[in-house]
Amino acid sequence: MLVTPVVTAKAFGGDHDFIRPRFELSWFRPLGKRRRMYVGMHAEAAWVRPFGGDPSRETGFVDGVPLFQRFFIGGDSIGPRVFETRSLSPTRELIQTDVFGNPVRDPRTGQPIRLAAFVGGSKYALLQTELGFPVGRTATIAAFADVG
């Protein structure tokens, strides 16, 4: 079991005020007489939340938390493994603006151009299970299921 408590605060000399705890639990067990088959499970959960004064509305922040501290899951390191790395995220609709902050309009319709922006999650939970079968002396075929 691994618990990673992250607290960043201006009072500690940081630039931002937020908490970002993360919990992980892994389990592995060999199976069979020769103990070459195995079953494994991994679970993790985390969240991030600002505290203190008014959340920052600066560029690069979402709900008072820097974009790079929010959660983008998917891929081999932070599953589900069937998705591209860091490809799962909530989105927000934004209106495209020019350098002066004016909405850019579609020349055909005259409507503002709307874009989907990946903003990262404020929390996530993940459960991974795996069952491995030996094939020959050096290879293993694994079946897995990930939920997150």
Side-chain angles (χ1 to χ4, degrees):
M1 182 166 172
L2 176 66
V3 178
T4 310
V6 174
V7 177
T8 180
K10 293 176 184 167
F12 299 147
D15 295 328
H16 316 291
D17 294 320
F18 64 87
I19 184 169
R20 188 179 191 258
R22 183 175 175 195
F23 305 89
E24 291 185 57
L25 180 63
S26 294
W27 178 78
F28 175 86
R29 178 151 189 195
L31 300 173
K33 287 183 180 181
R34 294 170 57 194
R35 303 179 67 82
R36 292 187 59 207
M37 288 179 31
Y38 68 88
V39 63
M41 296 182 80
H42 176 79
E44 60 185 82
W47 70 90
V48 62
R49 182 178 1 186
F51 64 86
D54 189 29
S56 177
R57 299 207 177 267
E58 299 175 44
T59 302
F61 282 73
V62 177
D63 297 333
V65 176
L67 186 64
F68 63 88
Q69 290 291 348
R70 296 179 65 84
F71 302 109
F72 297 82
I73 64 172
D76 291 338
S77 59
I78 303 177
R81 291 173 267 194
V82 297
F83 293 95
E84 291 292 325
T85 301
R86 297 178 49 93
S87 65
L88 297 176
S89 164
T91 59
R92 288 214 178 141
E93 186 177 271
L94 302 176
I95 295 177
Q96 185 177 354
T97 59
D98 61 17
V99 294
F100 302 108
N102 301 316
V104 175
R105 299 192 176 275
D106 185 321
R108 294 174 292 151
T109 65
Q111 296 295 319
I113 297 175
R114 299 180 187 281
L115 306 169
F118 292 94
V119 296
S122 61
K123 59 185 124 339
Y124 80 95
L126 177 67
L127 175 63
Q128 299 175 302
T129 59
E130 186 169 315
L131 180 62
F133 304 94
V135 178
R137 291 184 175 193
T138 60
T140 301
I141 293 177
F144 66 89
D146 294 352
V147 177

